[in-house]
Amino acid sequence: MQKILKIELKRAFYNKLFLISVLIGCIITGMQIYQNVLPMMEYNVNTYVEMPPHSVFSKWIGAGFTFWDDLFFIIFPLLASIPFADSFYIDCKTGYVKNIFTRTKKSDYYLSKFIAVFLSGGTTVIIPLLLNLYLSALCLPSIIPDVTAGTFPIFSNSTGAAFFYTHPFLYVFLYMLLIFIVSGILVTIALAFSFLVNYQYVVTLTPFMCLIFISFVSMFFSNPSLDISQWIKPSQTTVLNFAVIIPEMLVLALFVIITYFQEVRNETN
Amino acid sequence: MRNNRISKIIKHDLTIGMKQNTPKYILIAFFISLFCMMFFNGVTTFQLTEQIVSKGSMMDCTIYIFKGMNVYIPSVESPFQIPIIWLLIQVMIAFFIVNYPTQDLHSYGLQILARTKNRFLWWSSKCIWNIFTVVSIYLTCFTCILLLTLFFGKLSLTPNAEISLLINEFELYNLKLSQLFVAVFVLPILTSIAISLLQMTISFILTPVYSYMIIVCIMVASAYFCSPIFIGNFSMILRNQLIYSEGSNNLTAIVMNIVVIIISITVGHLYFSRYDILKMS
């Protein structure tokens, strides 16, 4: 199991598509730095001492209210799926799996594939966000958020607001962990669709289509808490409601587990 | 002989392309029906409170589906909310187009190219397939709207002032019906054709997934910024000059779309004539 997992992880991460995807993410986050963070450096230098300076936590991409963060948090499933989402489909189509199955257990391969796709999807999304946070921290002071400043995106009804205003870095890193998990779950949907669909590019695009479909469902039922592209932003344009999010993610994960692992079970039997 | 070849290639593309997309047509018909039901549900709600007297017309329903969003002014109090109905239609159209051209090139299309010895024929056929697919998607949409309006609304192309204000978020005054007809029924189709041809061209230069991503980025940018550079604005009725004074007028939109169509077809043809097909296979 370890050997095949190592091979799959190497294929997922030592991969031109992974680099391209991370680069596209970094370009988007880099543009946000250029347009929204760098001008704040000048503002901080040139304004009166009495005015509170802008902080990392009010201006990084996760703080929201700019075009680049809206764009990033809509296309992140595409970024996550490009590197490795269609690898299982391609392996089956090209006959590569037959080589694997003669050398190792099928269940080991399927589990390793699942882990590699999950990790590569999450990592592709997190790296540009970490880079953005790091570059913002180079340019702006890491001032503990102040409620009276009125420039921080978290309001009193946001989940973890008290946490944000006392331990902001921990809040940001926990949110990044949430983004990692959500990206990973979304990308594994492509694995499930590899059995259901017969076209490579359709498989790659299913995580994004799933996000759009969930956004539509959230609008249909007038429940903005369901919309992933809204609650996944650290600025919580829609308040993070765990009572809705946990079942939502569980439903998605169950769909993937049932479809993918059921087919795996059929194949191994 | 040449005309015979062209017609055979086009017939093949239309047949196979449509056959592949059949489940997607069913899906889009389902979504349009849902959107129509949402519209008529809204009308019924306002009728109960006597704010609206008449039933919704076909024009009202179509505007509801293709209206997009008002011009966005960034502020902390109003975070950006992409118009999901409009975006869903655009990404589904892009989803229809993404697969077939490149898949055909690396399979049956090779046989066609070897026998016809003419890349321009193959490219032209794909452009015609592309235009036909977009038009057929919109025909599916309008047919669904027509059928549902027959049952739940009023079969008319005249918009209702109360419905326009309460549901479609604009004031109906001094609007010429002919210009509104162009904005509602012609511009969305023409804009989608332009975007789809652009997507198809980019899919050969990069890959289909990157071309899809670029189109999604253009759509998001079109929703965020009200600018003629982002041609998605032309398909949003609320951004038309008839409703928003600084929006694009019909003539400008038509000209810009035709320019994008011509550039996409030309660049695609020039690129494809030098494209190393066997290497990419």
Side-chain angles (χ1 to χ4, degrees):
Chain A
M1 165 80 181
Q2 268 184 356
K3 211 170 177 182
I4 188 71
L5 180 61
K6 211 170 157 182
I7 292 169
E8 289 301 317
L9 286 173
K10 201 171 178 182
R11 285 177 73 200
F13 288 97
Y14 284 90
N15 178 347
K16 194 171 72 174
L17 293 176
F18 178 79
L19 283 172
I20 292 171
S21 197
V22 167
L23 187 64
I24 293 170
C26 291
I27 289 172
I28 295 172
T29 55
M31 286 302 297
Q32 192 271 343
I33 293 278
Y34 177 72
Q35 279 202 341
N36 297 105
V37 174
L38 291 179
M40 293 301 116
M41 274 177 74
E42 270 188 57
Y43 172 86
N44 280 353
V45 166
N46 294 332
T47 48
Y48 298 112
V49 176
E50 291 82 13
M51 298 289 288
H54 284 289
S55 161
V56 169
F57 308 108
S58 64
K59 285 295 163 194
W60 79 295
I61 199 169
F65 312 116
T66 65
F67 167 68
W68 300 106
D69 78 87
D70 287 315
L71 180 67
F72 187 87
F73 287 109
I74 287 172
I75 69 166
F76 79 90
L78 281 171
L79 291 176
S81 356
I82 286 171
F84 210 51
D86 57 353
S87 62
F88 178 62
Y89 176 85
I90 293 170
D91 287 353
C92 292
K93 267 285 181 208
T94 55
Y96 175 78
V97 285
K98 294 173 195 163
N99 285 305
I100 299 290
F101 294 157
T102 54
R103 289 164 173 77
T104 187
K105 276 167 49 175
K106 283 185 183 180
S107 54
D108 286 349
Y109 167 75
Y110 286 123
L111 186 59
S112 307
K113 180 66 75 182
F114 184 87
I115 293 169
V117 167
F118 181 90
L119 290 176
S120 69
T123 312
T124 314
V125 176
I126 285 301
I127 290 175
L129 290 175
L130 283 171
L131 179 70
N132 183 277
L133 183 69
Y134 175 70
L135 291 175
S136 301
L138 285 179
C139 302
L140 297 174
S142 302
I143 298 172
I144 299 277
D146 181 4
V147 177
T148 57
T151 55
F152 294 95
I154 304 297
F155 301 109
S156 59
N157 61 341
S158 303
T159 304
F163 200 46
F164 175 76
Y165 285 101
T166 50
H167 300 92
F169 269 121
L170 201 50
Y171 172 92
V172 165
F173 286 124
L174 283 175
Y175 225 102
M176 287 217 194
L177 181 63
L178 177 66
I179 294 170
F180 181 90
I181 293 168
V182 169
S183 308
I185 292 174
L186 280 175
V187 177
T188 53
I189 291 172
L191 279 180
F193 273 88
S194 299
F195 291 107
L196 305 172
V197 161
N198 214 15
Y199 305 107
Q200 180 190 346
Y201 300 118
V202 172
V203 167
T204 313
L205 296 175
T206 43
F208 175 74
M209 294 304 289
C210 184
L211 179 90
I212 299 294
F213 178 70
I214 290 172
S215 299
F216 167 70
V217 167
S218 115
M219 190 203 74
F220 188 81
F221 291 108
S222 302
N223 188 353
S225 302
L226 278 172
D227 191 351
I228 297 176
S229 64
Q230 295 299 316
W231 59 250
I232 205 166
K233 295 180 194 171
S235 60
Q236 293 191 46
T237 44
T238 299
V239 171
L240 198 65
N241 183 356
F242 284 110
V244 170
I245 287 161
I246 291 174
E248 185 181 7
M249 287 296 112
L250 275 174
V251 164
L252 282 177
L254 275 171
F255 167 74
V256 172
I257 288 167
I258 289 169
T259 317
Y260 181 66
F261 287 104
Q262 184 61 36
E263 291 290 334
V264 163
R265 208 202 223 172
N266 293 342
E267 292 268 321
T268 46
N269 288 343
Chain B
M1 177 77 166
R2 191 186 160 103
N3 289 341
N4 199 22
R5 281 192 301 178
I6 296 170
S7 61
K8 277 186 176 174
I9 297 170
I10 293 171
K11 193 181 166 188
H12 166 262
D13 278 333
L14 292 180
T15 316
I16 303 297
M18 293 280 285
K19 203 175 159 184
Q20 266 190 15
N21 282 335
T22 309
K24 296 176 191 169
Y25 281 106
I26 297 169
L27 196 61
I28 210 159
F30 169 73
F31 277 114
I32 293 294
S33 306
L34 268 181
F35 301 153
C36 291
M37 294 314 297
M38 285 166 62
F39 169 74
F40 288 114
N41 191 43
V43 169
T44 310
T45 308
F46 282 110
Q47 279 176 339
L48 289 172
T49 55
E50 292 175 13
Q51 289 174 281
I52 292 174
V53 175
S54 75
K55 294 181 183 180
S57 67
M58 186 176 166
M59 180 66 89
D60 293 320
C61 190
T62 313
I63 291 173
Y64 174 79
I65 292 170
F66 295 108
K67 67 180 179 182
M69 65 184 279
N70 284 312
V71 175
Y72 175 64
I73 298 161
S75 77
V76 175
E77 289 83 29
S78 64
F80 178 67
Q81 291 269 6
I82 198 154
I84 204 66
I85 293 177
W86 173 82
L87 182 69
L88 191 59
I89 294 170
Q90 305 305 322
V91 299
M92 284 210 69
I93 293 171
F95 199 55
F96 269 69
I97 305 296
V98 76
N99 194 62
Y100 179 67
T102 39
Q103 188 208 8
D104 183 68
L105 180 64
H106 300 306
S107 58
Y108 192 74
L110 282 174
Q111 302 295 326
I112 294 175
L113 283 163
R115 282 162 174 73
T116 58
K117 299 182 182 64
N118 189 333
R119 292 187 179 213
F120 179 69
L121 272 182
W122 188 90
W123 175 251
S124 308
S125 175
K126 288 294 168 293
C127 292
I128 292 168
W129 165 84
N130 192 315
I131 293 168
F132 184 85
T133 303
V134 172
V135 170
S136 63
I137 290 168
Y138 275 92
L139 281 175
T140 309
C141 295
F142 295 143
T143 308
C144 289
I145 295 170
L146 180 74
L147 286 171
L148 282 157
T149 313
L150 262 172
F151 287 111
F152 299 107
K154 196 173 61 174
L155 205 59
S156 159
L157 286 176
T158 311
N160 179 280
E162 292 151 343
I163 292 174
S164 299
L165 187 63
L166 292 168
I167 297 177
N168 291 334
E169 300 165 15
F170 70 93
E171 281 187 31
L172 186 73
Y173 61 88
N174 294 333
L175 279 182
K176 281 187 185 172
L177 202 59
S178 56
Q179 287 186 0
L180 188 64
F181 183 89
V182 171
V184 172
F185 290 100
V186 175
L187 277 181
I189 299 176
L190 201 56
T191 308
S192 291
I193 290 173
I195 291 168
S196 299
L197 285 168
L198 182 66
Q199 181 191 351
M200 194 171 76
T201 303
I202 297 172
S203 73
F204 284 105
I205 298 172
L206 302 172
T207 66
V209 175
Y210 293 126
S211 74
Y212 189 90
M213 190 192 287
I214 289 169
I215 295 306
V216 170
C217 291
I218 291 173
M219 290 296 118
V220 174
S222 300
Y224 205 90
F225 303 107
C226 183
S227 165
I229 299 168
F230 303 112
I231 61 171
N233 277 285
F234 300 144
S235 67
M236 286 199 223
I237 296 160
L238 288 180
R239 301 264 177 104
N240 193 289
Q241 206 176 61
L242 296 171
I243 291 162
Y244 174 60
S245 57
E246 288 172 44
S248 52
N249 70 42
N250 287 343
L251 185 62
T252 311
I254 289 170
V255 167
M256 289 284 288
N257 282 322
I258 290 173
V259 165
V260 170
I261 288 169
I262 292 170
I263 290 173
S264 301
I265 293 175
T266 311
V267 168
H269 166 60
L270 289 172
Y271 183 82
F272 187 68
S273 59
R274 290 165 181 77
Y275 186 73
D276 191 341
I277 300 165
L278 292 176
K279 187 179 172 188
M280 291 303 172
S281 297

